[in-house]
Amino acid sequence: MTAQSKIPKPLPYANKGDLTSGSVKNHLIRLTIPMVWGILAVIAVQLADTYFIALLGDTDILAGISLTFPVTMIISHIVFGINIAMSSVVARLLGEKKKDDARIIVQHGIIMAFLAASAIAIGTFLALEPLFSLLGADETTYPIVKEYMPIWLVASVLLSIPVNGNSAIRASGDSFTPAIVMTTAALINLILDPILIFGLFGFPALGVAGAAIATLLAYLGCLSLGLYFLIFKKDLVAVDGLHRDKFKGSMKRLIPIAIPAGIANIIGPGTNAVIMALLARYGNEAVAAMGIVSRVEAFALLIVISLSLGMSPIIGQNWGARNFDRVHRTINLAIGFNFAWSFLVAAIMGIFATQIAGAFSDDAQVIEYTKLFFWIVPVSYAFGNLVMGWASAFNAMGLPKKAFVMIIVKSLIITIPAVYLGSYLNGVTGIFAALAISNFIAGGLFHYLSRQKCITAEQEIQPA
């Protein structure tokens, strides 16, 4: 090997790709702002579907689509475990100046994501009826589910490729390009939704199936653009062969993070599925209300979600470079912003609860349930978000077990028993109160414990 070949290739985002130097605050802002845009685009796809389907004026249809949300979130989050692994491993490799190794990891991670998404889609399709029966689907809502889900499952397989490629691009210090990719998908979906749902411009009115087809075509566009950027613009994926001799090594790097991260990711949507099933006992109005608040909630907190993802490559690269002081600065800045933003969101939701609810439904009971949620749960967001933030940090450090334990305890040990108790004591109001109390308890507890665990992990890998 020549001396020149040993010189590491530059990162694909000019001088901004190196997150181990420069202002931590500036890096965090630069990476987070496009993430807001990108996540907004992802949320906009489902929010647009909900909005246009709600215009059909049928509560049963809206309830049927609402029942699909926990399942689609679970499926997306299983594959997202591979995204987290990809981002963590690639960022740390780039921090160690090993870009060629990172390119091979990206290729193998995309193959892994595609195969996993395909297997999940097939399994879900085969178990569609019993799965949704468990979630409370009945003779009025299951036909809606059956019309929507098979098409969406195909779309989810297509999406697995660009979202994993986007994770690699973000790990290199560029969150702007992934935002462009996802925004393109959102725009395609936004244009096609009303055309295919209501039958505009001579197209047949396909209703719920039209929404699913619009999403499928949007994700196809996302796939094409994502591969273009990843291969031709960023040079972040190996295209000179499959590197079969290194596949086992790639899996050893990715799987220990992807499996616990994937399981942890589905715990949240799985918990939401349990909550949705509990609410189904109180009628389709309660289910429809939860479908509305889930979408609005994600939209309102997208900046905090973006922040947790935007800080990940900074933490990953600096953890790989052993710059622990920059890791702490990143986490402290993120926590401070989380509290300020979350309390602002809670105030807005509480004040404008009636207007927000009325924008999605004219059913009086749906509006009342939606308002009730906004008056109870949002005040706890700041604490609940601490668990998400620390989990993102630990995954970026390559410590997925710590993130896994936090998510498991919060969801399975604290939240689910609490909502069952709340349902027993006070119905829908009790369920919403239990969600708020769970956020307060879990957030405070794990924030304290995570600081200690972070310091211990640093000491274990410090050079002697």
Side-chain angles (χ1 to χ4, degrees):
M1 182 179 290
T2 65
Q4 186 173 353
S5 66
K6 295 180 181 179
I7 299 175
K9 296 180 181 180
L11 294 177
Y13 196 39
N15 61 334
K16 296 179 181 178
D18 184 1
L19 305 176
T20 61
S21 61
S23 168
V24 169
K25 182 179 179 180
N26 289 345
H27 283 315
L28 196 58
I29 293 171
R30 180 175 59 80
L31 289 172
T32 298
I33 290 176
M35 282 301 304
V36 174
W37 173 12
I39 293 178
L40 176 60
V42 174
I43 296 170
V45 172
Q46 292 186 333
L47 196 61
D49 286 353
T50 304
Y51 177 75
F52 287 115
I53 288 171
L55 292 181
L56 293 172
D58 190 321
T59 300
D60 289 336
I61 292 178
L62 184 58
I65 288 298
S66 297
L67 282 172
T68 69
F69 291 156
V71 177
T72 57
M73 289 294 288
I74 289 171
I75 293 171
S76 299
H77 279 66
I78 291 174
V79 179
F80 195 67
I82 304 173
N83 299 13
I84 291 172
M86 177 94 79
S87 179
S88 174
V89 174
V90 170
R92 283 181 284 120
L93 284 172
L94 294 179
E96 297 168 12
K97 311 302 180 186
K98 297 178 180 178
K99 187 191 170 187
D100 287 338
D101 290 343
R103 293 172 71 248
I104 295 172
I105 287 286
V106 173
Q107 182 202 81
H108 293 163
I110 287 175
I111 293 172
M112 178 181 171
F114 177 78
L115 294 176
S118 299
I120 292 165
I122 293 170
T124 303
F125 176 75
L126 295 176
L128 204 62
E129 186 169 3
L131 173 62
F132 279 92
S133 294
L134 288 174
L135 294 178
D138 55 25
E139 65 276 3
T140 63
T141 54
Y142 180 69
I144 308 302
V145 171
K146 190 176 181 180
E147 191 175 356
Y148 183 85
M149 282 300 297
I151 301 170
W152 186 91
L153 289 171
V154 176
S156 72
V157 176
L158 297 181
L159 187 63
S160 67
I161 296 175
V163 296
N164 275 275
N166 284 349
S167 293
I169 294 173
R170 281 194 296 271
S172 74
D174 177 5
S175 61
F176 182 75
T177 297
I180 292 175
V181 174
M182 298 314 301
T183 300
T184 300
L187 289 174
I188 293 172
N189 184 76
L190 183 63
I191 293 169
L192 294 180
D193 253 349
I195 294 174
L196 299 180
I197 292 173
F198 304 117
L200 305 180
F201 307 114
F203 284 86
L206 300 176
V208 171
I213 293 171
T215 300
L216 174 63
L217 295 175
Y219 288 167
L220 182 61
C222 179
L223 168 63
S224 302
L225 188 60
L227 287 177
Y228 168 75
F229 279 119
L230 188 67
I231 297 172
F232 298 106
K233 288 295 185 179
K234 299 299 178 181
D235 186 30
L236 264 175
V237 59
V239 293
D240 56 341
L242 294 178
H243 298 276
R244 295 184 183 89
D245 58 320
K246 296 183 178 180
F247 192 81
K248 184 177 180 180
S250 296
M251 293 302 99
K252 285 183 177 180
R253 284 179 175 269
L254 291 170
I255 289 176
I257 300 175
I259 290 179
I263 295 173
N265 275 329
I266 67 172
I267 293 299
T271 301
N272 289 338
V274 171
I275 295 168
M276 194 72 82
L278 275 176
L279 289 171
R281 300 177 180 178
Y282 302 97
N284 285 344
E285 292 80 6
V287 174
M290 194 63 187
I292 292 171
V293 300
S294 295
R295 292 298 153 256
V296 175
E297 184 179 63
F299 179 79
L301 294 177
L302 70 92
I303 289 183
V304 175
I305 297 170
S306 300
L307 187 66
S308 70
L309 294 174
M311 73 179 185
S312 181
I314 303 174
I315 293 173
Q317 284 196 26
N318 283 286
W319 193 265
R322 304 297 188 260
N323 293 334
F324 299 123
D325 60 323
R326 292 175 65 83
V327 172
H328 284 291
R329 267 184 280 163
T330 303
I331 293 172
N332 289 338
L333 283 169
I335 289 173
F337 181 84
N338 162 59
F339 269 83
W341 181 259
S342 296
F343 285 127
L344 175 62
V345 164
I348 293 173
M349 284 184 169
I351 293 170
F352 297 103
T354 302
Q355 291 86 343
I356 296 171
F360 287 91
S361 178
D362 57 5
D363 185 294
Q365 190 59 62
V366 173
I367 291 174
E368 283 304 310
Y369 283 141
T370 304
K371 288 163 54 179
L372 186 65
F373 181 96
F374 287 145
W375 288 336
I376 295 174
V377 180
V379 71
S380 68
Y381 284 158
F383 289 86
N385 291 337
L386 288 175
V387 179
M388 174 183 65
W390 275 109
S392 179
F394 282 130
N395 281 323
M397 298 171 196
L399 303 170
K401 292 181 180 178
K402 298 184 186 301
F404 178 75
V405 169
M406 284 195 298
I407 300 298
I408 290 292
V409 172
K410 179 183 184 295
S411 298
L412 301 187
I413 297 179
I414 298 176
T415 302
I416 289 181
V419 295
Y420 270 100
L421 179 61
S423 176
Y424 173 76
L425 293 176
N426 202 19
V428 174
T429 303
I431 291 173
F432 292 162
L435 288 174
I437 293 170
S438 298
N439 282 337
F440 282 120
I441 294 173
L445 173 65
F446 285 116
H447 176 62
Y448 172 77
L449 294 177
S450 294
R451 283 196 176 279
Q452 308 305 316
K453 291 177 181 178
C454 187
I455 294 172
T456 301
E458 291 173 13
Q459 295 172 343
E460 290 174 352
I461 63 174
Q462 286 276 23

